[in-house]
Amino acid sequence: MSDLELENKHEKYLITIRNLRANNFSKDLPFLILSESLPEGQVYKEFADGRIEIQEVVSAGKKFSTRVIKVLKGMQADSIRKTYGLL
């Protein structure tokens, strides 16, 4: 696969992700960002108000519970958005 084809696929991926994010926000739902840079069991959750939280997700059978680990500050949240192509 050529570099141009890879770049086109990546851009289509980002468009799809941005559309899913906007759809979630329009329904007042958070957007889940999975990251290999976080410890296992932790995720980023972005909310329509611009807030991004690091949350720990714990499963017990069919039930899931979450706990807020940290609320990111403005520049930290923007850095995450930039890293994942969400700006």
Side-chain angles (χ1 to χ4, degrees), residues 34-52:
L34 300 177
S35 174
E36 292 181 0
S37 67
L38 290 173
E40 187 172 333
Q42 292 184 11
V43 299
Y44 294 108
K45 273 195 183 173
E46 182 184 21
F47 296 85
D49 64 6
R51 173 175 38 107
I52 294 181

mmCIF file of all heavy atoms in Angstrom, residues 34-52:
data_model
loop_
_atom_site.group_PDB
_atom_site.id
_atom_site.type_symbol
_atom_site.label_atom_id
_atom_site.label_comp_id
_atom_site.label_asym_id
_atom_site.label_seq_id
_atom_site.Cartn_x
_atom_site.Cartn_y
_atom_site.Cartn_z
ATOM 1 N N LEU A 34 -9.980 5.317 23.933
ATOM 2 C CA LEU A 34 -9.109 4.262 24.455
ATOM 3 C C LEU A 34 -7.671 4.633 24.147
ATOM 4 O O LEU A 34 -7.371 5.143 23.073
ATOM 5 C CB LEU A 34 -9.451 2.925 23.810
ATOM 6 C CG LEU A 34 -10.872 2.423 24.017
ATOM 7 C CD1 LEU A 34 -11.087 1.121 23.249
ATOM 8 C CD2 LEU A 34 -11.162 2.218 25.481
ATOM 9 N N SER A 35 -6.783 4.378 25.093
ATOM 10 C CA SER A 35 -5.393 4.765 24.908
ATOM 11 C C SER A 35 -4.465 3.727 25.505
ATOM 12 O O SER A 35 -4.652 3.303 26.649
ATOM 13 C CB SER A 35 -5.132 6.112 25.587
ATOM 14 O OG SER A 35 -3.764 6.434 25.535
ATOM 15 N N GLU A 36 -3.471 3.347 24.726
ATOM 16 C CA GLU A 36 -2.455 2.422 25.228
ATOM 17 C C GLU A 36 -1.499 3.111 26.193
ATOM 18 O O GLU A 36 -0.728 2.445 26.880
ATOM 19 C CB GLU A 36 -1.689 1.798 24.069
ATOM 20 C CG GLU A 36 -2.552 0.864 23.238
ATOM 21 C CD GLU A 36 -1.789 0.217 22.102
ATOM 22 O OE1 GLU A 36 -0.579 0.475 21.943
ATOM 23 O OE2 GLU A 36 -2.420 -0.553 21.360
ATOM 24 N N SER A 37 -1.553 4.450 26.253
ATOM 25 C CA SER A 37 -0.664 5.179 27.161
ATOM 26 C C SER A 37 -1.193 5.212 28.595
ATOM 27 O O SER A 37 -0.464 5.591 29.506
ATOM 28 C CB SER A 37 -0.432 6.604 26.656
ATOM 29 O OG SER A 37 -1.625 7.353 26.716
ATOM 30 N N LEU A 38 -2.452 4.817 28.781
ATOM 31 C CA LEU A 38 -3.031 4.744 30.130
ATOM 32 C C LEU A 38 -2.863 3.333 30.683
ATOM 33 O O LEU A 38 -2.807 2.370 29.919
ATOM 34 C CB LEU A 38 -4.518 5.091 30.090
ATOM 35 C CG LEU A 38 -4.880 6.533 29.796
ATOM 36 C CD1 LEU A 38 -6.396 6.669 29.618
ATOM 37 C CD2 LEU A 38 -4.396 7.456 30.897
ATOM 38 N N PRO A 39 -2.828 3.211 32.008
ATOM 39 C CA PRO A 39 -2.783 1.870 32.596
ATOM 40 C C PRO A 39 -4.012 1.062 32.213
ATOM 41 O O PRO A 39 -5.072 1.623 31.898
ATOM 42 C CB PRO A 39 -2.781 2.144 34.112
ATOM 43 C CG PRO A 39 -2.310 3.551 34.256
ATOM 44 C CD PRO A 39 -2.768 4.273 33.020
ATOM 45 N N GLU A 40 -3.866 -0.243 32.233
ATOM 46 C CA GLU A 40 -4.979 -1.127 31.899
ATOM 47 C C GLU A 40 -6.180 -0.809 32.785
ATOM 48 O O GLU A 40 -6.049 -0.590 33.980
ATOM 49 C CB GLU A 40 -4.573 -2.586 32.085
ATOM 50 C CG GLU A 40 -5.621 -3.558 31.587
ATOM 51 C CD GLU A 40 -5.132 -4.992 31.590
ATOM 52 O OE1 GLU A 40 -3.917 -5.213 31.468
ATOM 53 O OE2 GLU A 40 -5.984 -5.874 31.718
ATOM 54 N N GLY A 41 -7.354 -0.769 32.157
ATOM 55 C CA GLY A 41 -8.582 -0.494 32.896
ATOM 56 C C GLY A 41 -8.931 0.983 32.977
ATOM 57 O O GLY A 41 -9.956 1.345 33.542
ATOM 58 N N GLN A 42 -8.079 1.848 32.415
ATOM 59 C CA GLN A 42 -8.364 3.281 32.418
ATOM 60 C C GLN A 42 -8.631 3.770 31.004
ATOM 61 O O GLN A 42 -8.072 3.247 30.043
ATOM 62 C CB GLN A 42 -7.211 4.076 33.038
ATOM 63 C CG GLN A 42 -7.051 3.829 34.519
ATOM 64 C CD GLN A 42 -5.975 4.704 35.135
ATOM 65 O OE1 GLN A 42 -5.472 5.634 34.525
ATOM 66 N NE2 GLN A 42 -5.613 4.395 36.372
ATOM 67 N N VAL A 43 -9.509 4.769 30.900
ATOM 68 C CA VAL A 43 -9.891 5.352 29.615
ATOM 69 C C VAL A 43 -10.045 6.855 29.783
ATOM 70 O O VAL A 43 -10.187 7.364 30.894
ATOM 71 C CB VAL A 43 -11.228 4.770 29.097
ATOM 72 C CG1 VAL A 43 -11.135 3.271 28.868
ATOM 73 C CG2 VAL A 43 -12.373 5.087 30.047
ATOM 74 N N TYR A 44 -10.023 7.550 28.646
ATOM 75 C CA TYR A 44 -10.397 8.960 28.629
ATOM 76 C C TYR A 44 -11.865 9.024 28.252
ATOM 77 O O TYR A 44 -12.319 8.307 27.365
ATOM 78 C CB TYR A 44 -9.610 9.740 27.572
ATOM 79 C CG TYR A 44 -8.136 9.854 27.822
ATOM 80 C CD1 TYR A 44 -7.232 9.142 27.050
ATOM 81 C CD2 TYR A 44 -7.634 10.705 28.807
ATOM 82 C CE1 TYR A 44 -5.872 9.253 27.252
ATOM 83 C CE2 TYR A 44 -6.268 10.820 29.020
ATOM 84 C CZ TYR A 44 -5.392 10.093 28.236
ATOM 85 O OH TYR A 44 -4.040 10.218 28.449
ATOM 86 N N LYS A 45 -12.621 9.894 28.922
ATOM 87 C CA LYS A 45 -13.999 10.173 28.529
ATOM 88 C C LYS A 45 -14.089 11.673 28.304
ATOM 89 O O LYS A 45 -13.796 12.461 29.194
ATOM 90 C CB LYS A 45 -15.007 9.757 29.599
ATOM 91 C CG LYS A 45 -15.430 8.323 29.483
ATOM 92 C CD LYS A 45 -16.667 8.068 30.307
ATOM 93 C CE LYS A 45 -17.045 6.610 30.257
ATOM 94 N NZ LYS A 45 -18.149 6.332 31.177
ATOM 95 N N GLU A 46 -14.490 12.042 27.080
ATOM 96 C CA GLU A 46 -14.659 13.446 26.737
ATOM 97 C C GLU A 46 -16.143 13.774 26.731
ATOM 98 O O GLU A 46 -16.951 12.998 26.209
ATOM 99 C CB GLU A 46 -14.051 13.735 25.363
ATOM 100 C CG GLU A 46 -14.161 15.192 24.981
ATOM 101 C CD GLU A 46 -13.647 15.486 23.594
ATOM 102 O OE1 GLU A 46 -13.566 14.566 22.757
ATOM 103 O OE2 GLU A 46 -13.358 16.660 23.344
ATOM 104 N N PHE A 47 -16.483 14.920 27.282
ATOM 105 C CA PHE A 47 -17.875 15.339 27.378
ATOM 106 C C PHE A 47 -18.127 16.550 26.491
ATOM 107 O O PHE A 47 -17.189 17.284 26.147
ATOM 108 C CB PHE A 47 -18.222 15.663 28.840
ATOM 109 C CG PHE A 47 -18.125 14.459 29.734
ATOM 110 C CD1 PHE A 47 -16.905 14.085 30.282
ATOM 111 C CD2 PHE A 47 -19.240 13.684 30.009
ATOM 112 C CE1 PHE A 47 -16.805 12.958 31.090
ATOM 113 C CE2 PHE A 47 -19.150 12.563 30.819
ATOM 114 C CZ PHE A 47 -17.930 12.200 31.357
ATOM 115 N N ALA A 48 -19.376 16.764 26.135
ATOM 116 C CA ALA A 48 -19.751 17.848 25.230
ATOM 117 C C ALA A 48 -19.337 19.221 25.766
ATOM 118 O O ALA A 48 -19.108 20.140 24.989
ATOM 119 C CB ALA A 48 -21.252 17.813 24.961
ATOM 120 N N ASP A 49 -19.205 19.362 27.072
ATOM 121 C CA ASP A 49 -18.808 20.648 27.648
ATOM 122 C C ASP A 49 -17.296 20.895 27.538
ATOM 123 O O ASP A 49 -16.789 21.906 28.007
ATOM 124 C CB ASP A 49 -19.267 20.774 29.100
ATOM 125 C CG ASP A 49 -18.621 19.768 30.052
ATOM 126 O OD1 ASP A 49 -17.706 19.014 29.642
ATOM 127 O OD2 ASP A 49 -19.026 19.732 31.231
ATOM 128 N N GLY A 50 -16.559 19.944 26.926
ATOM 129 C CA GLY A 50 -15.123 20.105 26.726
ATOM 130 C C GLY A 50 -14.263 19.409 27.762
ATOM 131 O O GLY A 50 -13.053 19.289 27.603
ATOM 132 N N ARG A 51 -14.876 18.929 28.801
ATOM 133 C CA ARG A 51 -14.143 18.265 29.878
ATOM 134 C C ARG A 51 -13.693 16.882 29.426
ATOM 135 O O ARG A 51 -14.411 16.168 28.736
ATOM 136 C CB ARG A 51 -15.090 18.162 31.079
ATOM 137 C CG ARG A 51 -14.662 17.394 32.258
ATOM 138 C CD ARG A 51 -15.717 17.531 33.369
ATOM 139 N NE ARG A 51 -17.081 17.534 32.863
ATOM 140 C CZ ARG A 51 -17.934 16.524 33.001
ATOM 141 N NH1 ARG A 51 -17.583 15.434 33.624
ATOM 142 N NH2 ARG A 51 -19.152 16.603 32.510
ATOM 143 N N ILE A 52 -12.464 16.519 29.809
ATOM 144 C CA ILE A 52 -11.980 15.152 29.609
ATOM 145 C C ILE A 52 -11.568 14.610 30.965
ATOM 146 O O ILE A 52 -10.829 15.253 31.714
ATOM 147 C CB ILE A 52 -10.793 15.088 28.630
ATOM 148 C CG1 ILE A 52 -11.224 15.506 27.228
ATOM 149 C CG2 ILE A 52 -10.216 13.666 28.584
ATOM 150 C CD1 ILE A 52 -10.121 15.456 26.183
#
